[in-house]
């Protein structure tokens, strides 16, 4: 079974050599994988942090280098912590590089107005 990371790396490689409408399809699939990967990691972070107090969770987010404050609720802090972890994964890095490269080439998921 292919992992999210493997598939995103494959899509990034294919996008570097792809053309036209194929690129939009590759980017769409990569975007869906990126979102699913983040959702999966957010669940794992939530499970891992289930026993932490609000203060300890706030400290963990701060230690991850993410700006936050005590007014943010538990769910927001978990999302911030998960995002900090996710953005450093090979899958997220591959997607970001792919999306940036395609944007420079005029390919994006949002239609032009």
């Amino acid at each position: 079974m292919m992992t999210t990371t493997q598939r995103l790396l494959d899509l990034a490689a294919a996008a570097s050599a792809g053309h036209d409408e194929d690129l939009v399809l590759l980017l769409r699939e990569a975007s869906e994988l990126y979102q699913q990967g983040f959702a999966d990691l957010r669940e794992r972070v939530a499970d891992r942090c289930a026993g932490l107090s609000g203060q300890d969770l706030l400290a963990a987010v701060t230690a991850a280098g993410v700006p936050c404050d005590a007014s943010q609720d538990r769910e927001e802090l978990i999302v911030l912590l998960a995002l900090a972890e996710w953005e450093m994964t090979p899958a997220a890095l591959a997607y970001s590089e792919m999306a940036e490269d395609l944007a420079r080439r005029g390919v994006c998921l949002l239609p032009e107005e």
Side-chain angles (χ1 to χ4, degrees):
M1 179 173 191
M2 185 174 285
T3 67
T4 299
T5 299
Q6 291 168 322
R7 183 63 183 148
L8 277 167
L9 291 171
D10 288 349
L11 290 171
S16 68
H19 301 291
D20 305 326
E21 292 180 18
D22 291 343
L23 295 175
V24 173
L25 295 175
L26 292 174
L27 185 57
R28 183 170 289 123
E29 182 180 350
S31 176
E32 290 169 4
L33 288 169
Y34 177 93
Q35 293 171 38
Q36 183 60 51
F38 175 70
D40 293 345
L41 180 63
R42 195 212 62 73
E43 269 186 49
R44 289 193 305 272
V45 169
D47 290 345
R48 190 176 73 223
C49 295
L52 293 180
S53 69
Q55 284 300 101
D56 289 341
L57 182 56
L58 185 63
V61 174
T62 302
V66 179
C68 60
D69 62 65
S71 69
Q72 291 175 292
D73 67 26
R74 185 173 194 81
E75 183 58 29
E76 290 173 315
L77 293 172
I78 288 170
V79 167
L80 290 173
L81 187 56
L83 188 58
E85 290 182 25
W86 175 246
E87 287 179 338
M88 301 311 294
T89 65
L93 293 169
Y95 174 76
S96 294
E97 287 182 30
M98 176 186 178
E100 289 171 10
D101 177 55
L102 292 180
R104 283 189 296 274
R105 293 162 57 188
V107 177
C108 68
L109 295 178
L110 300 174
E112 290 186 34
E113 292 185 38

Coordinates of all heavy atoms in Angstrom, one line a residue, residues 34-50 74-86:
Y34 N -2.8 16.1 0.8 CA -2.3 17.0 1.8 C -3.3 17.2 3.0 O -2.9 17.1 4.1 CB -1.9 18.4 1.2 CG -1.4 19.4 2.1 CD1 0.0 19.6 2.3 CD2 -2.3 20.2 2.8 CE1 0.4 20.5 3.2 CE2 -1.8 21.2 3.7 CZ -0.4 21.3 3.9 OH 0.0 22.3 4.8
Q35 N -4.5 17.5 2.6 CA -5.6 17.7 3.6 C -5.8 16.5 4.4 O -6.0 16.6 5.6 CB -6.8 18.2 2.9 CG -6.7 19.6 2.3 CD -7.9 20.0 1.4 OE1 -9.0 19.7 1.8 NE2 -7.6 20.6 0.3
Q36 N -5.8 15.3 3.8 CA -6.1 14.1 4.5 C -4.9 13.8 5.4 O -5.1 13.4 6.6 CB -6.3 12.9 3.5 CG -6.6 11.6 4.2 CD -7.9 11.7 5.1 OE1 -8.9 12.1 4.6 NE2 -7.8 11.3 6.4
G37 N -3.7 14.0 5.0 CA -2.5 13.8 5.8 C -2.6 14.7 7.0 O -2.3 14.2 8.2
F38 N -2.9 15.9 6.8 CA -3.0 16.8 8.0 C -4.1 16.4 8.9 O -3.9 16.4 10.2 CB -3.2 18.3 7.5 CG -3.4 19.2 8.7 CD1 -2.4 19.5 9.5 CD2 -4.7 19.7 9.0 CE1 -2.6 20.3 10.6 CE2 -4.9 20.6 10.0 CZ -3.8 20.9 10.9
A39 N -5.2 16.0 8.4 CA -6.3 15.6 9.3 C -5.9 14.4 10.1 O -6.2 14.3 11.3 CB -7.6 15.3 8.5
D40 N -5.2 13.4 9.5 CA -4.8 12.2 10.2 C -3.8 12.6 11.3 O -3.9 12.1 12.5 CB -4.1 11.2 9.3 CG -5.1 10.6 8.3 OD1 -6.3 10.7 8.5 OD2 -4.6 10.1 7.3
L41 N -2.9 13.5 11.0 CA -1.9 13.9 12.0 C -2.6 14.7 13.1 O -2.2 14.6 14.3 CB -0.8 14.8 11.4 CG 0.3 15.3 12.4 CD1 1.0 14.1 13.0 CD2 1.2 16.2 11.7
R42 N -3.5 15.6 12.8 CA -4.3 16.3 13.8 C -4.9 15.4 14.8 O -4.9 15.6 16.0 CB -5.3 17.3 13.2 CG -5.8 18.3 14.2 CD -7.2 18.8 14.0 NE -8.2 17.7 14.1 CZ -8.6 17.1 15.2 NH1 -8.1 17.5 16.4 NH2 -9.5 16.2 15.2
E43 N -5.5 14.3 14.3 CA -6.1 13.3 15.2 C -5.1 12.7 16.1 O -5.4 12.5 17.3 CB -6.8 12.2 14.4 CG -8.2 12.5 14.0 CD -8.8 11.2 13.4 OE1 -8.7 10.1 13.9 OE2 -9.4 11.4 12.3
R44 N -3.9 12.3 15.6 CA -2.9 11.8 16.4 C -2.4 12.7 17.5 O -2.1 12.4 18.6 CB -1.7 11.2 15.6 CG -2.1 10.0 14.8 CD -0.9 9.3 14.1 NE -0.1 10.2 13.3 CZ -0.2 10.4 12.0 NH1 -1.3 9.9 11.4 NH2 0.6 11.2 11.3
V45 N -2.3 14.0 17.1 CA -1.8 15.0 18.0 C -2.9 15.2 19.1 O -2.6 15.3 20.3 CB -1.5 16.4 17.3 CG1 -1.3 17.5 18.3 CG2 -0.3 16.2 16.5
A46 N -4.1 15.2 18.8 CA -5.2 15.3 19.7 C -5.2 14.2 20.7 O -5.3 14.4 21.9 CB -6.6 15.4 19.0
D47 N -5.0 13.0 20.2 CA -4.9 11.8 21.1 C -3.7 11.9 22.0 O -3.8 11.6 23.2 CB -4.8 10.5 20.3 CG -6.1 10.2 19.6 OD1 -7.1 10.7 19.9 OD2 -6.0 9.3 18.6
R48 N -2.6 12.3 21.5 CA -1.3 12.5 22.3 C -1.5 13.5 23.4 O -0.9 13.4 24.5 CB -0.2 12.8 21.3 CG 1.2 12.8 22.0 CD 2.3 13.0 21.0 NE 2.3 14.4 20.6 CZ 2.5 14.9 19.4 NH1 2.6 14.1 18.4 NH2 2.5 16.2 19.2
C49 N -2.3 14.6 23.1 CA -2.4 15.7 24.0 C -3.6 15.6 24.9 O -3.9 16.5 25.7 CB -2.5 17.0 23.2 SG -0.9 17.4 22.4
A50 N -4.4 14.5 24.8 CA -5.6 14.4 25.6 C -5.4 14.6 27.1 O -6.3 15.1 27.7 CB -6.3 13.0 25.3
R74 N -8.7 24.9 23.3 CA -8.0 23.7 23.2 C -7.9 23.2 21.8 O -6.8 22.8 21.3 CB -8.6 22.6 24.1 CG -7.9 21.3 24.2 CD -8.5 20.4 25.2 NE -7.5 19.3 25.5 CZ -6.5 19.4 26.3 NH1 -6.3 20.5 26.9 NH2 -5.7 18.4 26.4
E75 N -9.0 23.2 21.1 CA -9.0 22.7 19.7 C -8.1 23.6 18.8 O -7.3 23.1 17.9 CB -10.4 22.7 19.1 CG -10.5 22.2 17.7 CD -10.0 20.7 17.5 OE1 -10.0 19.9 18.5 OE2 -9.5 20.5 16.4
E76 N -8.1 24.9 19.0 CA -7.2 25.8 18.2 C -5.8 25.5 18.5 O -4.9 25.4 17.6 CB -7.5 27.2 18.5 CG -8.8 27.8 18.0 CD -9.1 29.2 18.5 OE1 -8.9 29.4 19.7 OE2 -9.5 30.0 17.7
L77 N -5.4 25.2 19.7 CA -4.1 24.9 20.1 C -3.6 23.6 19.5 O -2.5 23.5 19.0 CB -3.9 24.9 21.6 CG -4.1 26.3 22.3 CD1 -4.1 26.1 23.8 CD2 -3.0 27.2 21.9
I78 N -4.5 22.6 19.5 CA -4.2 21.3 18.9 C -3.9 21.5 17.4 O -3.0 20.9 16.8 CB -5.3 20.3 19.2 CG1 -5.2 19.9 20.7 CG2 -5.2 19.1 18.3 CD1 -6.3 19.0 21.2
V79 N -4.8 22.3 16.7 CA -4.6 22.5 15.3 C -3.2 23.2 15.0 O -2.5 22.8 14.1 CB -5.7 23.3 14.7 CG1 -5.4 23.9 13.3 CG2 -7.0 22.5 14.7
L80 N -2.9 24.2 15.9 CA -1.6 24.9 15.7 C -0.4 23.9 15.9 O 0.5 24.0 15.1 CB -1.5 26.0 16.7 CG -2.4 27.2 16.4 CD1 -2.3 28.2 17.6 CD2 -2.1 27.9 15.1
L81 N -0.5 23.1 16.9 CA 0.6 22.1 17.2 C 0.7 21.1 16.0 O 1.8 20.8 15.5 CB 0.3 21.4 18.5 CG 1.4 20.5 19.0 CD1 2.8 21.3 19.1 CD2 1.1 19.9 20.3
A82 N -0.5 20.6 15.6 CA -0.5 19.7 14.5 C 0.1 20.3 13.2 O 0.9 19.7 12.4 CB -1.9 19.1 14.2
L83 N -0.3 21.6 12.9 CA 0.2 22.2 11.7 C 1.7 22.4 11.8 O 2.4 22.2 10.8 CB -0.5 23.6 11.6 CG -0.3 24.3 10.2 CD1 -0.6 23.4 9.0 CD2 -1.0 25.6 10.2
A84 N 2.2 22.8 12.9 CA 3.7 23.0 13.1 C 4.4 21.6 12.8 O 5.4 21.6 12.1 CB 4.0 23.4 14.5
E85 N 3.8 20.5 13.2 CA 4.4 19.2 13.0 C 4.3 18.8 11.5 O 5.2 18.4 10.9 CB 3.8 18.2 13.9 CG 4.2 18.3 15.3 CD 3.6 17.2 16.2 OE1 3.3 16.1 15.7 OE2 3.5 17.5 17.4
W86 N 3.1 19.0 11.0 CA 2.7 18.6 9.6 C 3.6 19.4 8.6 O 4.1 18.7 7.6 CB 1.3 18.9 9.3 CG 0.9 18.6 7.9 CD1 0.4 19.5 7.0 CD2 0.9 17.3 7.2 NE1 0.2 18.9 5.8 CE2 0.5 17.5 5.9 CE3 1.2 16.0 7.6 CZ2 0.4 16.5 5.0 CZ3 1.2 15.0 6.7 CH2 0.7 15.2 5.4

